[in-house]
């Protein structure tokens, strides 16, 4: 559905007409721009926007279907950018990603949002309270949305770091992370980090293009004076990606440590089982020998035979117990 539509002149908002073509014409005449916001529009709703603003059909298809990687594409009449804001759910310690598609033209910006976790009302309000920034045109909208998304990445990275510290404390607790659910928690956390990386990693090249760093030249429909702002966002994203890499390495190390601890515990259990089995084998062997039904057997009719066998069993059991105890098998 269409969430909002307004014309911005000199950094100040004026309500736009119902017809998009009239709004775009008014904005161009006044040297301003039109900002249209949509939330999960239907194909019929988006057809009107596509026709009036001349959006490229390939970009329109991506905007309607969603499930895109962060990217930046340049078309003849517009610029198409995809961002993936992430949402951290503290109740389930889960990370989920939404999508924001931005069409940027000479005098318009169309923002399509998919998902419920990344509303842009706060971004619009922030810009409307900063007319100097908003006066830079549609570029200011792209910058503000990217800045808000990346700043939230930093918050999510902190939350994941806290979860990782709790997981680490569980694994290296005195019981050695013996809970049967520890391994599944580690694996689930690794999946959250992977989901986070899918949103942050591919965004680095588009921001590098927007900031004009390295071999990238200017990007059409983007004000060259906005490069320092995009460089700042790119720097924040670099910090986020470094945090994601660190989280991924640490959780892999924790998983390896947990598996090593599990193997050590299993070896300890096997040694204990083997020690008790060896101790049980001694009386079983002696009882088995004297349980054979041969007529001519040594000490078979000896008066002290039974007490002697019991004593031998006891002595051997004590010797085995002390030996295994000294070696740490019991």
């Amino acid at each position: 559905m269409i969430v909002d539509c307004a014309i911005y002149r000199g950094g100040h908002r004026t309500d736009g007409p119902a017809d998009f073509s009239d709004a775009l014409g008014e904005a161009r005449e006044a040297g301003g721009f039109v900002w249209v916001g949509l939330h999960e529009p239907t194909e019929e709703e988006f057809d009107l926007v596509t026709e009036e603003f001349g959006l490229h059909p390939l970009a329109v298809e991506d905007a309607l279907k969603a499930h895109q990687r962060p990217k930046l594409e340049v078309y003849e009449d517009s610029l198409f950018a995809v961002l993936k804001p992430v949402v951290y759910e503290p109740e389930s310690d889960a990370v989920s990603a939404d999508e924001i598609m931005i069409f940027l033209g000479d005098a318009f910006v169309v923002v399509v949002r998919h998902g419920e976790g990344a509303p842009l009302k706060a971004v619009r309000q922030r810009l409307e309270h900063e007319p100097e920034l908003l006066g830079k045109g549609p570029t200011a909208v792209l910058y503000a949305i990217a800045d808000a998304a990346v700043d939230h990445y930093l918050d999510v990275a902190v939350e994941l770091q806290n979860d990782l510290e709790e997981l680490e404390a569980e694994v290296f607790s005195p019981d050695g992370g013996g809970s049967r659910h520890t391994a599944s928690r580690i694996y689930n956390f690794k999946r959250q980090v992977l989901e986070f990386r899918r949103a942050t990693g591919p965004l680095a090249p588009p921001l590098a293009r927007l900031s004009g760093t390295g071999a990238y030249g200017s990007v059409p429909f983007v004000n060259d004076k906005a490069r320092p702002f995009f460089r700042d966002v790119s720097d924040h994203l670099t910090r986020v990606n470094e945090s994601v890499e660190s989280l991924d390495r640490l959780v892999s190390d924790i998983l390896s440590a947990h598996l090593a601890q599990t193997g050590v515990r299993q070896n300890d259990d096997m040694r204990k089982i083997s020690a008790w089995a060896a101790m049980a084998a001694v009386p079983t062997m002696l009882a088995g020998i004297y349980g054979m039904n041969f007529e001519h057997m040594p000490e078979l009719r000896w008066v002290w035979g039974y007490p002697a066998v019991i004593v031998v069993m006891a002595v051997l059991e004590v010797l085995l117990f002390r030996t295994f105890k000294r070696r740490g098998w019991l």
Side-chain angles (χ1 to χ4, degrees):
M1 63 178 180
I2 300 174
V3 178
D4 200 355
C5 176
I7 298 175
Y8 292 88
R9 302 184 181 93
H12 298 281
R13 174 186 176 118
T14 59
D15 291 332
D19 188 271
F20 290 137
S21 59
D22 294 341
L24 186 58
E26 288 184 20
R28 282 174 173 158
E29 290 178 3
F33 69 94
V34 182
W35 181 354
V36 180
L38 302 101
H39 178 231
E40 298 181 354
T42 63
E43 188 172 350
E44 292 74 16
E45 290 174 333
F46 207 61
D47 282 344
L48 179 60
V49 178
T50 301
E51 181 181 353
E52 297 298 344
F53 292 100
L55 306 180
H56 197 279
L58 292 178
V60 170
E61 182 181 359
D62 289 345
L64 286 173
K65 291 185 177 180
H67 303 295
Q68 304 295 316
R69 288 166 55 90
K71 62 182 178 179
L72 181 68
E73 295 179 348
V74 179
Y75 295 100
E76 183 178 354
D77 298 323
S78 62
L79 188 72
F80 180 62
V82 178
L83 304 175
K84 292 182 74 71
V86 295
V87 179
Y88 176 80
E89 300 172 1
E91 295 81 9
S92 57
D93 295 335
V95 173
S96 59
D98 296 328
E99 292 186 46
I100 296 177
M101 284 78 169
I102 305 169
F103 296 86
L104 205 70
D106 59 335
F108 69 87
V109 55
V110 177
V111 181
V112 182
R113 181 169 62 90
H114 291 269
E116 301 293 338
L120 297 176
K121 183 178 180 180
V123 174
R124 190 183 286 263
Q125 290 176 344
R126 170 198 168 188
L127 285 174
E128 290 177 354
H129 284 85
E130 297 183 34
E132 183 177 353
L133 177 60
L134 192 57
K136 299 184 182 298
T139 303
V141 179
L142 177 60
Y143 157 71
I145 294 175
D147 185 52
V150 173
D151 282 348
H152 192 59
Y153 288 163
L154 291 170
D155 297 335
V156 173
V158 171
E159 295 290 347
L160 289 176
Q161 183 64 43
N162 293 335
D163 289 344
L164 182 63
E165 290 175 359
E166 293 177 3
L167 195 58
E168 188 176 23
E170 178 181 334
V171 170
F172 294 102
S173 60
D175 64 352
S179 171
R180 68 177 63 182
H181 302 297
T182 301
S184 62
R185 283 195 61 195
I186 296 173
Y187 179 74
N188 181 65
F189 184 85
K190 194 170 182 64
R191 292 199 60 173
Q192 305 312 314
V193 174
L194 178 61
E195 182 73 17
F196 194 23
R197 173 184 281 176
R198 286 173 179 166
T200 63
L203 185 58
L207 283 179
R209 290 182 64 185
L210 291 169
S211 61
T213 56
Y216 298 110
S218 60
V219 179
F221 308 109
V222 174
N223 193 327
D224 288 340
K225 294 181 180 179
R227 287 186 177 185
F229 295 94
F230 285 111
R231 276 199 295 269
D232 181 65
V233 178
S234 182
D235 289 342
H236 290 175
L237 182 65
T238 300
R239 288 172 50 196
V240 171
N241 284 328
E242 289 174 352
S243 297
V244 173
E245 291 295 331
S246 177
L247 288 169
D248 188 58
R249 287 195 302 269
L250 285 173
V251 74
S252 296
D253 292 343
I254 290 174
L255 180 58
S256 299
H258 175 68
L259 294 176
Q261 287 179 330
T262 302
V264 169
R265 285 196 302 272
Q266 289 176 343
N267 289 336
D268 289 340
D269 294 340
M270 288 302 299
R271 283 198 297 265
K272 291 178 181 180
I273 293 171
S274 300
W276 287 111
M279 292 173 64
V282 171
T284 302
M285 179 189 66
L286 293 176
I289 291 174
Y290 284 95
M292 293 187 293
N293 297 320
F294 291 106
E295 183 176 351
H296 302 288
M297 290 184 65
E299 297 88 25
L300 192 60
R301 299 183 182 279
W302 186 31
V303 176
W304 298 101
Y306 176 74
V309 170
I310 296 299
V311 170
V312 171
M313 288 183 181
V315 170
L316 290 176
E317 291 294 310
V318 170
L319 289 175
L320 287 173
F321 181 82
R322 293 184 64 181
T323 300
F324 292 142
K325 192 72 173 178
R326 186 169 58 251
R327 294 183 179 180
W329 286 32
L330 290 174

mmCIF file of all heavy atoms in Angstrom, residues 290-314:
data_model
loop_
_atom_site.group_PDB
_atom_site.id
_atom_site.type_symbol
_atom_site.label_atom_id
_atom_site.label_comp_id
_atom_site.label_asym_id
_atom_site.label_seq_id
_atom_site.Cartn_x
_atom_site.Cartn_y
_atom_site.Cartn_z
ATOM 1 N N TYR A 290 36.234 -72.588 38.269
ATOM 2 C CA TYR A 290 35.775 -73.562 39.251
ATOM 3 C C TYR A 290 34.313 -73.973 39.035
ATOM 4 O O TYR A 290 33.786 -74.805 39.757
ATOM 5 C CB TYR A 290 35.982 -73.024 40.674
ATOM 6 C CG TYR A 290 37.451 -73.107 41.071
ATOM 7 C CD1 TYR A 290 38.287 -72.006 40.912
ATOM 8 C CD2 TYR A 290 37.971 -74.295 41.562
ATOM 9 C CE1 TYR A 290 39.625 -72.089 41.247
ATOM 10 C CE2 TYR A 290 39.310 -74.380 41.898
ATOM 11 C CZ TYR A 290 40.142 -73.276 41.741
ATOM 12 O OH TYR A 290 41.467 -73.379 42.064
ATOM 13 N N GLY A 291 33.713 -73.376 38.060
ATOM 14 C CA GLY A 291 32.357 -73.812 37.728
ATOM 15 C C GLY A 291 32.334 -74.893 36.670
ATOM 16 O O GLY A 291 31.255 -75.384 36.317
ATOM 17 N N MET A 292 33.518 -75.245 36.127
ATOM 18 C CA MET A 292 33.565 -76.305 35.122
ATOM 19 C C MET A 292 33.343 -77.678 35.778
ATOM 20 O O MET A 292 33.850 -77.924 36.873
ATOM 21 C CB MET A 292 34.913 -76.277 34.397
ATOM 22 C CG MET A 292 35.098 -75.007 33.539
ATOM 23 S SD MET A 292 36.573 -75.024 32.525
ATOM 24 C CE MET A 292 37.844 -74.958 33.798
ATOM 25 N N ASN A 293 32.648 -78.531 35.138
ATOM 26 C CA ASN A 293 32.242 -79.819 35.719
ATOM 27 C C ASN A 293 33.214 -80.950 35.387
ATOM 28 O O ASN A 293 32.823 -82.034 34.957
ATOM 29 C CB ASN A 293 30.837 -80.192 35.249
ATOM 30 C CG ASN A 293 29.796 -79.189 35.729
ATOM 31 O OD1 ASN A 293 29.890 -78.743 36.876
ATOM 32 N ND2 ASN A 293 28.842 -78.866 34.878
ATOM 33 N N PHE A 294 34.508 -80.689 35.556
ATOM 34 C CA PHE A 294 35.485 -81.769 35.409
ATOM 35 C C PHE A 294 35.668 -82.485 36.740
ATOM 36 O O PHE A 294 35.668 -81.848 37.795
ATOM 37 C CB PHE A 294 36.828 -81.205 34.918
ATOM 38 C CG PHE A 294 36.773 -80.710 33.501
ATOM 39 C CD1 PHE A 294 36.772 -79.359 33.231
ATOM 40 C CD2 PHE A 294 36.708 -81.614 32.438
ATOM 41 C CE1 PHE A 294 36.720 -78.904 31.936
ATOM 42 C CE2 PHE A 294 36.655 -81.153 31.142
ATOM 43 C CZ PHE A 294 36.661 -79.807 30.875
ATOM 44 N N GLU A 295 35.874 -83.768 36.693
ATOM 45 C CA GLU A 295 36.022 -84.545 37.944
ATOM 46 C C GLU A 295 37.372 -84.323 38.598
ATOM 47 O O GLU A 295 37.477 -84.209 39.823
ATOM 48 C CB GLU A 295 35.823 -86.035 37.654
ATOM 49 C CG GLU A 295 35.889 -86.904 38.903
ATOM 50 C CD GLU A 295 35.601 -88.365 38.606
ATOM 51 O OE1 GLU A 295 35.191 -88.673 37.464
ATOM 52 O OE2 GLU A 295 35.790 -89.180 39.523
ATOM 53 N N HIS A 296 38.438 -84.288 37.811
ATOM 54 C CA HIS A 296 39.787 -84.146 38.364
ATOM 55 C C HIS A 296 40.248 -82.704 38.200
ATOM 56 O O HIS A 296 40.744 -82.309 37.144
ATOM 57 C CB HIS A 296 40.749 -85.111 37.658
ATOM 58 C CG HIS A 296 40.337 -86.539 37.776
ATOM 59 N ND1 HIS A 296 40.420 -87.261 38.954
ATOM 60 C CD2 HIS A 296 39.802 -87.400 36.852
ATOM 61 C CE1 HIS A 296 39.975 -88.492 38.760
ATOM 62 N NE2 HIS A 296 39.576 -88.595 37.479
ATOM 63 N N MET A 297 40.038 -81.881 39.209
ATOM 64 C CA MET A 297 40.471 -80.470 39.214
ATOM 65 C C MET A 297 41.274 -80.211 40.475
ATOM 66 O O MET A 297 40.941 -80.740 41.553
ATOM 67 C CB MET A 297 39.259 -79.520 39.172
ATOM 68 C CG MET A 297 38.524 -79.533 37.840
ATOM 69 S SD MET A 297 37.202 -78.325 37.785
ATOM 70 C CE MET A 297 38.143 -76.819 37.906
ATOM 71 N N PRO A 298 42.335 -79.400 40.377
ATOM 72 C CA PRO A 298 43.158 -79.118 41.561
ATOM 73 C C PRO A 298 42.330 -78.407 42.631
ATOM 74 O O PRO A 298 41.466 -77.579 42.334
ATOM 75 C CB PRO A 298 44.264 -78.214 41.030
ATOM 76 C CG PRO A 298 44.196 -78.291 39.554
ATOM 77 C CD PRO A 298 42.835 -78.755 39.186
ATOM 78 N N GLU A 299 42.617 -78.659 43.884
ATOM 79 C CA GLU A 299 41.998 -78.030 45.048
ATOM 80 C C GLU A 299 40.480 -78.187 45.078
ATOM 81 O O GLU A 299 39.788 -77.433 45.775
ATOM 82 C CB GLU A 299 42.349 -76.535 45.137
ATOM 83 C CG GLU A 299 43.809 -76.240 45.323
ATOM 84 C CD GLU A 299 44.533 -76.137 43.979
ATOM 85 O OE1 GLU A 299 43.846 -75.820 42.974
ATOM 86 O OE2 GLU A 299 45.758 -76.349 43.937
ATOM 87 N N LEU A 300 39.973 -79.134 44.318
ATOM 88 C CA LEU A 300 38.521 -79.258 44.268
ATOM 89 C C LEU A 300 37.950 -79.727 45.605
ATOM 90 O O LEU A 300 36.859 -79.323 46.001
ATOM 91 C CB LEU A 300 38.122 -80.228 43.151
ATOM 92 C CG LEU A 300 36.634 -80.253 42.776
ATOM 93 C CD1 LEU A 300 36.169 -78.888 42.294
ATOM 94 C CD2 LEU A 300 36.355 -81.311 41.713
ATOM 95 N N ARG A 301 38.691 -80.568 46.302
ATOM 96 C CA ARG A 301 38.222 -81.083 47.588
ATOM 97 C C ARG A 301 38.991 -80.478 48.759
ATOM 98 O O ARG A 301 38.940 -80.982 49.884
ATOM 99 C CB ARG A 301 38.358 -82.608 47.616
ATOM 100 C CG ARG A 301 37.517 -83.281 46.540
ATOM 101 C CD ARG A 301 37.611 -84.794 46.616
ATOM 102 N NE ARG A 301 36.831 -85.425 45.551
ATOM 103 C CZ ARG A 301 35.519 -85.611 45.601
ATOM 104 N NH1 ARG A 301 34.854 -85.252 46.667
ATOM 105 N NH2 ARG A 301 34.882 -86.177 44.573
ATOM 106 N N TRP A 302 39.690 -79.385 48.483
ATOM 107 C CA TRP A 302 40.465 -78.726 49.542
ATOM 108 C C TRP A 302 39.516 -77.970 50.452
ATOM 109 O O TRP A 302 38.667 -77.199 49.979
ATOM 110 C CB TRP A 302 41.501 -77.803 48.899
ATOM 111 C CG TRP A 302 42.453 -77.180 49.869
ATOM 112 C CD1 TRP A 302 42.905 -77.692 51.043
ATOM 113 C CD2 TRP A 302 43.047 -75.891 49.730
ATOM 114 N NE1 TRP A 302 43.750 -76.844 51.662
ATOM 115 C CE2 TRP A 302 43.877 -75.705 50.860
ATOM 116 C CE3 TRP A 302 43.005 -74.888 48.765
ATOM 117 C CZ2 TRP A 302 44.631 -74.557 51.058
ATOM 118 C CZ3 TRP A 302 43.762 -73.770 48.961
ATOM 119 C CH2 TRP A 302 44.560 -73.582 50.098
ATOM 120 N N VAL A 303 39.676 -78.123 51.798
ATOM 121 C CA VAL A 303 38.759 -77.498 52.761
ATOM 122 C C VAL A 303 38.814 -75.982 52.659
ATOM 123 O O VAL A 303 37.784 -75.301 52.760
ATOM 124 C CB VAL A 303 39.090 -77.977 54.199
ATOM 125 C CG1 VAL A 303 38.213 -77.256 55.216
ATOM 126 C CG2 VAL A 303 38.918 -79.476 54.324
ATOM 127 N N TRP A 304 40.029 -75.429 52.456
ATOM 128 C CA TRP A 304 40.182 -73.970 52.416
ATOM 129 C C TRP A 304 40.098 -73.407 50.986
ATOM 130 O O TRP A 304 40.431 -72.254 50.741
ATOM 131 C CB TRP A 304 41.529 -73.580 53.033
ATOM 132 C CG TRP A 304 41.653 -73.961 54.479
ATOM 133 C CD1 TRP A 304 42.309 -75.032 54.994
ATOM 134 C CD2 TRP A 304 41.054 -73.293 55.566
ATOM 135 N NE1 TRP A 304 42.193 -75.100 56.358
ATOM 136 C CE2 TRP A 304 41.399 -74.006 56.733
ATOM 137 C CE3 TRP A 304 40.231 -72.155 55.702
ATOM 138 C CZ2 TRP A 304 40.974 -73.638 58.010
ATOM 139 C CZ3 TRP A 304 39.836 -71.790 56.974
ATOM 140 C CH2 TRP A 304 40.185 -72.522 58.097
ATOM 141 N N GLY A 305 39.655 -74.214 50.052
ATOM 142 C CA GLY A 305 39.612 -73.750 48.658
ATOM 143 C C GLY A 305 38.680 -72.550 48.449
ATOM 144 O O GLY A 305 39.046 -71.547 47.833
ATOM 145 N N TYR A 306 37.475 -72.659 48.989
ATOM 146 C CA TYR A 306 36.500 -71.560 48.785
ATOM 147 C C TYR A 306 36.967 -70.250 49.412
ATOM 148 O O TYR A 306 36.991 -69.210 48.744
ATOM 149 C CB TYR A 306 35.140 -71.971 49.336
ATOM 150 C CG TYR A 306 34.098 -70.870 49.254
ATOM 151 C CD1 TYR A 306 33.529 -70.526 48.033
ATOM 152 C CD2 TYR A 306 33.712 -70.176 50.396
ATOM 153 C CE1 TYR A 306 32.585 -69.523 47.952
ATOM 154 C CE2 TYR A 306 32.774 -69.166 50.328
ATOM 155 C CZ TYR A 306 32.205 -68.840 49.101
ATOM 156 O OH TYR A 306 31.293 -67.842 49.026
ATOM 157 N N PRO A 307 37.383 -70.260 50.721
ATOM 158 C CA PRO A 307 37.888 -69.004 51.294
ATOM 159 C C PRO A 307 39.104 -68.466 50.547
ATOM 160 O O PRO A 307 39.252 -67.244 50.386
ATOM 161 C CB PRO A 307 38.241 -69.381 52.733
ATOM 162 C CG PRO A 307 37.441 -70.599 53.016
ATOM 163 C CD PRO A 307 37.335 -71.340 51.728
ATOM 164 N N ALA A 308 39.959 -69.368 50.070
ATOM 165 C CA ALA A 308 41.153 -68.906 49.353
ATOM 166 C C ALA A 308 40.773 -68.194 48.064
ATOM 167 O O ALA A 308 41.336 -67.147 47.717
ATOM 168 C CB ALA A 308 42.074 -70.093 49.059
ATOM 169 N N VAL A 309 39.820 -68.759 47.343
ATOM 170 C CA VAL A 309 39.387 -68.112 46.088
ATOM 171 C C VAL A 309 38.774 -66.742 46.370
ATOM 172 O O VAL A 309 39.018 -65.762 45.651
ATOM 173 C CB VAL A 309 38.385 -69.027 45.359
ATOM 174 C CG1 VAL A 309 37.743 -68.276 44.180
ATOM 175 C CG2 VAL A 309 39.070 -70.272 44.853
ATOM 176 N N ILE A 310 37.967 -66.620 47.408
ATOM 177 C CA ILE A 310 37.361 -65.330 47.765
ATOM 178 C C ILE A 310 38.433 -64.318 48.105
ATOM 179 O O ILE A 310 38.375 -63.152 47.711
ATOM 180 C CB ILE A 310 36.374 -65.513 48.941
ATOM 181 C CG1 ILE A 310 35.197 -66.422 48.535
ATOM 182 C CG2 ILE A 310 35.869 -64.159 49.413
ATOM 183 C CD1 ILE A 310 34.378 -65.883 47.397
ATOM 184 N N VAL A 311 39.457 -64.756 48.856
ATOM 185 C CA VAL A 311 40.552 -63.849 49.226
ATOM 186 C C VAL A 311 41.316 -63.401 47.984
ATOM 187 O O VAL A 311 41.658 -62.209 47.828
ATOM 188 C CB VAL A 311 41.489 -64.532 50.243
ATOM 189 C CG1 VAL A 311 42.749 -63.690 50.446
ATOM 190 C CG2 VAL A 311 40.788 -64.738 51.557
ATOM 191 N N VAL A 312 41.606 -64.348 47.113
ATOM 192 C CA VAL A 312 42.311 -63.989 45.872
ATOM 193 C C VAL A 312 41.502 -62.972 45.062
ATOM 194 O O VAL A 312 42.043 -61.990 44.525
ATOM 195 C CB VAL A 312 42.589 -65.257 45.046
ATOM 196 C CG1 VAL A 312 43.110 -64.883 43.648
ATOM 197 C CG2 VAL A 312 43.605 -66.137 45.749
ATOM 198 N N MET A 313 40.195 -63.223 44.965
ATOM 199 C CA MET A 313 39.338 -62.267 44.248
ATOM 200 C C MET A 313 39.415 -60.877 44.878
ATOM 201 O O MET A 313 39.555 -59.859 44.177
ATOM 202 C CB MET A 313 37.890 -62.754 44.257
ATOM 203 C CG MET A 313 37.599 -63.940 43.370
ATOM 204 S SD MET A 313 35.815 -64.330 43.433
ATOM 205 C CE MET A 313 35.756 -65.754 42.360
ATOM 206 N N ALA A 314 39.304 -60.799 46.187
ATOM 207 C CA ALA A 314 39.309 -59.520 46.881
ATOM 208 C C ALA A 314 40.631 -58.795 46.685
ATOM 209 O O ALA A 314 40.673 -57.574 46.445
ATOM 210 C CB ALA A 314 39.019 -59.737 48.360
#
